[in-house]
Amino acid sequence: MNNQNRSFFFNVDWLTIILFLCLLTIGWLNINAAVYQDGPSLINFSSNSGKQLLFIIVAISTGIVILLLDSRFFFTFSPIFYGITMLLLMVVLLVGRNVGGNQAWIPIGSFRLQPSEFAKWATALLLARHLSVMNTKLSDLKTLIPTLAILGFPVLLIILQPDVGSALVFTSLIFVLYREGLSPYYLVAGLMMILLFIFTLLYTKFYVIIGLVILLAALIYLFRKNRKLIFVFISGFILSLLFVFSVDFVYRNILKPHQKIRIDLILGIVKDPRGAGYNVNQSKIAIGSGGLWGKGYLQGTQTKFNFVPEQSTDFIFCTVGEEWGFAGSFVVIALYLILLLRIIHLAERQRSSFSRVYGYAVACIIFCHFFVNIGMTIGLMPVIGIPLPFVSYGGSSLVSFTILLFILVKLDSNRMGIV
Amino acid sequence: MNSFFNRKYIIQGIFIFVALVLLAKLFYIQVIDNQYKLSADNNVLRKLIIYPARGVILDRHEKVLVQNEPVYDLMVIPGQVQPMDTLEFCNLIHISKKEFDKSLRKAKHYSLFRASLFQKQLSAKTYAAFQEKLFEYPGFYVQNRSVRYYPDSCAAQFLGYIGEVNDIEIEKYGGFYSQGDYIGKTGIEKSYEDLLRGQRGVRNIMVDVHNREKGSFFDGKFDTTAVAGDRLISSLDKKLQIFGEALMANKIGSIVAIEPSTGEILASVSSPTYDPNLMVGRQRGNNYMKLLENPYKPMFIRPIQAEYPPGSIFKVINALVAQQLGLINANTYFNCPGGYHYGARGFMACTHVHGNINLAQSIQESCNTYFGNTFHKMIDQNNGLRPVNAYTKWRDAVIKFGIGSTLGIDLPAERNGFLPVANYYTKIFHSDKWTSSFNISLSIGQGEVEITPLQMANVMAIVANRGYYFKPHLIQAIGDKKVIKKEYTEKHYVGIDQPYFDPVIEGMSRVVNAPNGTAYYSKINDIEICGKTGTVQNPHGDNHSVFVAFAPRENPKIAIAVVVENAGYGATWSAPIASLMIEEYLKDSISRPQYYIDRILNANLLPGQKKPLIKPVEKKKDKGTDQKTALLITNNKGIKKGNE
């Protein structure tokens, strides 16, 4: 027993755990600063920072429980987790509490449960299982279609809430598929879609199409000896044209005004620092005013006096930027980057493809949150309400990210075993 | 391990790339670009200016001339204005919907988040009613201010007025003022601006997103308290000033009264005047335009800005200078055949045939012939000097009386007056070989010489002091310590020895006190006034009536100059006014009968008005010169005095 415990703790990847704890601490300190209003209220469970302390305890406990579970448990029960969360995603559409336009929360007592947070790791688990069970080839439609179904179902349900931000996170799993053998064309296509999307909105369709024609001509000329590639280019061109027209159509006819304006703001089509752009503008002011070394802990005037909205949750990075300056921002980004690279390292050292796929899924989900959230606070991304992993205030996200990460840590600690 | 192992590097590369992009952008907005720091300060910092009370101005008996009255500026932060009952709001502060929209638009144009002035200077009464409802209108708040209030509406031109700073002033004072601040524009308000304004205080407070106060910035380390402006004690005697303004009603002209022993100005009347309260409050702009359009130019500060040839009063200076230069003395006699012949055919008429008269008599009777001869001696027979040099010598002596340049009164925009240099005549004559016959009119104060009423009064102060003066000034003490500016405590000697004043003063005394003096009508029984009448030729219209005097003869307490434009003889209007002023100041009451005062109070001597005639009663009562005066007044157009 004793021996088993020792080996168990030796096998845990302590670097990941330490990074995790660092981010938790940074998160809690900054939530405390964000809600701080003169006069100490460190341990007050009615305030956000007090509640977050409870969430942290719950999250760490959950993490320890996960470490104590058997590795095979996750493999075996992944369809059930998936099923339960999908069920919850449907329930939330019926009985959910509508907060800020999104019907994403199920009230339980004084807390609210956000099923979309749990859907992330449940989907990741089932995806890992799916890709590891059969000797899969993602170039094969037989593998690809069920894979896309596993991803698409929760995305559909979440879009219905409608929580575009969370839905977007699932698209980041494309990197997992890429790692597992999806053709790089899909990545290129994805990138192409993003660029076309931006250009279509920034300029008129006409110019975009002219650009595409020129690009096509150039590519055909360059690869004129490779018939197969030329065929690919032409089909890509046709798909691009379709995409451009559909983006235009979606933008004009389907997107809601508040979504449109967020995209407009990020692309610089409209400038409205007091209206829709208020959040981002204030967020940039808060971060920008931090300077190199920041204003000092609890000294941030912008966040303390509520100029930045949602400052404990989605805009928690403002507090970091304002009170800790560029130095603090650098540390936080470095911590995330080290964590992400470490996760990929962990994933790659797994013997089972289940663990590896799951590892990549964890990296992609955390990466997506990290990039979109921080990018949003500094105006690189549209305002998409997704939390900063381990740092933002919120029980559901903290616990589900902890579960997400600790399953990987557990799988990794047991990597020599056979799943 | 599988065949796609290498793709790990691509994914890692993307992660690193994204992290670097984030860091680059963060570095830019946090370290390189300063705009966010400024925006952050703008977000939280509110500089509240605490306006100090402007210094009050008191008269010499410490009665209030100018004080402050609280008003309430209504401010607006357009970004915080919520939909509201505009109609009720407009009714509360007595404006129309149109004005409301205009003001709000203007404020929005300036800034959505900064406060701008919405409606200035609500009265205490309006504010009281509005205050209770203020909370219903988020985005609006009230800032206390004070405006000037003039309880007796007197001395408008000297106290001056304050107004909002303009761009030029903001630049001139290097950022001390900001838009919307008030600054002294004219008068004492301007010349003592740096003392009156006090020191503004600044409170740096932090506000949250709803503009709620969140405490002071750095515990008030950068705050400053407001320091009230200094209290100024003016030398004006408020009662005398008001009396003087009443006497000058419906007349154009000036009264300047100086205390000779100090140079303090006791009264300074510029007529027509205006109610200084017109230059305060919401109607200020309209009132200002009306005053500017007034044909009688009430904004023109006549005592220091109007320049007239002094007329006969200049004889006093010539008498003193000629004695000092040893050209005449008390016993010098000249024969007056009724005028002075000069040059080949020149003739300067005199009022009478005076026969042989001496200096004192010549002053008393204002004999042009006597001074023509004196001036001739001064210029043409001055110890062998060439006339052009003798003129310069004479001029040097005259300018010591404060003629031809500003006296340095503590008011802005004082004029110099004019006394030509020798070269001026040389140019006109095309040679420097001119003689006194070329500018003989200077002998009796006509011609090119021009003097302000203040300079006239100052000359009287010099005569009263027998040889020196203090710079005339309006402020006798500054602040609680009652500091007086050093420049106003220095004696300025005019280079005339004391004995030479005796015959001149004797003559001036007789002007008023001898039955055949030109101003006998203005005699006061127990005060010996020494004075000199003047009737100034005015090429643009009727002659100006001038009288200068000091009293009493020994230990003079008041020196005075009165000018009434287009009113004719000095003895008719200016002398009685001066006499009343002197009596009012020295005795605090008037011994003369009411009709005497009423004649002046009720006279309307504005150009274009019919000149009032002197009542027969007065004619009968007064003899000699006054009889003549009365006669002359009735047909003053027909008779000319002076040179030409």
Side-chain angles (χ1 to χ4, degrees), chain A residues 141-161:
Chain A
L141 279 185
K142 267 185 202 161
T143 311
L144 189 56
I145 287 172
T147 306
L148 292 181
I150 289 169
L151 292 178
F153 190 51
V155 168
L156 189 73
L157 289 172
I158 291 169
I159 280 181
L160 286 175
Q161 290 182 357

Side-chain angles (χ1 to χ4, degrees), chain B residues 471-489:
Chain B
K471 273 189 187 176
H473 53 277
L474 279 160
I475 296 303
Q476 58 162 229
I478 297 163
D480 294 331
K481 290 182 190 157
K482 305 204 171 176
V483 183
I484 175 156
K485 283 193 177 176
K486 192 164 170 287
E487 59 172 308
Y488 296 130
T489 59

